[in-house]
Amino acid sequence: MNKKQIEDALRDYNWMLNEIKRQRHLLEDAGTGLTAMYGEEAAMPKAQGESSDPVAREVVRRDKKHTWINRLEKKVLFVQERMSIIEDEREKAVLECLLDGMSMRAIGNHMGLSERHIFRIKNSIVKQMAEMSYLSGKLQVR
């Protein structure tokens, strides 16, 4: 991930985690409310290129949802795997606040620091995570 993607993952971490939980719970349901069409509905012409079977459509929708959840999980895991490299206490505090979904202004108020200072700390966190990714990518190539 590049620095911009890391920043986005830190900003979006809280809602991504909540969405993963919510979607996993929804996917546990087998979709029992699906029914096939009978009578006149079954005889009506269907749009070209689409399945008229509601079960097949639901399978496709769930497959897309599963793919999306996997992308969110990868981003969340990326952040979780790199949290341990942050050693400075202020950086840890800012990171935890970011992961909890707090805004930069709220973090500044909470810590008694200027918003500008919070941005510098966040940039340091992003830089460290990006460097770890770069170094781990180099080690895996060898």
Side-chain angles (χ1 to χ4, degrees):
M1 290 179 106
N2 62 35
K3 288 183 180 182
K4 174 70 173 125
Q5 291 169 323
I6 294 171
E7 279 185 46
D8 292 345
L10 289 174
R11 183 192 64 230
D12 297 340
Y13 180 90
N14 192 36
W15 76 257
M16 287 190 299
L17 199 57
N18 290 333
E19 188 63 16
I20 290 167
K21 284 187 249 179
R22 187 180 80 84
Q23 292 296 335
R24 280 184 178 171
H25 178 71
L26 291 174
L27 287 175
E28 288 173 1
D29 177 29
T32 55
L34 300 173
T35 58
M37 291 188 286
Y38 297 100
E40 291 179 12
E41 286 182 13
M44 297 299 289
K46 312 299 183 285
Q48 289 293 332
E50 291 184 21
S51 172
S52 63
D53 181 10
V55 175
R57 285 185 181 185
E58 181 64 11
V59 168
V60 170
R61 186 183 74 83
R62 286 174 181 247
D63 185 53
K64 287 180 183 178
K65 186 184 288 193
H66 188 68
T67 302
W68 178 58
I69 292 170
N70 284 340
R71 278 197 314 266
L72 293 180
E73 287 174 344
K74 284 180 184 175
K75 290 178 184 181
V76 167
L77 282 172
F78 179 90
V79 171
Q80 289 172 344
E81 290 170 350
R82 284 153 182 78
M83 288 172 57
S84 62
I85 64 166
I86 307 303
E87 294 179 355
D88 181 76
E89 295 302 321
R90 276 191 177 178
E91 289 177 350
K92 282 183 183 180
V94 170
L95 177 60
E96 288 298 326
C97 290
L98 285 170
L99 299 182
D100 289 339
M102 292 174 68
S103 69
M104 297 301 226
R105 178 173 286 160
I107 296 170
N109 290 337
H110 168 69
M111 294 183 68
L113 301 171
S114 71
E115 225 176 305
R116 181 182 209 119
H117 192 76
I118 298 299
F119 272 103
R120 281 196 297 264
I121 292 172
K122 181 198 70 160
N123 289 339
S124 173
I125 292 167
V126 169
K127 181 182 175 196
Q128 291 176 59
M129 287 186 170
E131 287 173 355
M132 182 184 175
S133 295
Y134 177 76
L135 291 175
S136 65
K138 287 285 190 185
L139 293 174
Q140 289 177 357
V141 171
R142 291 182 180 177

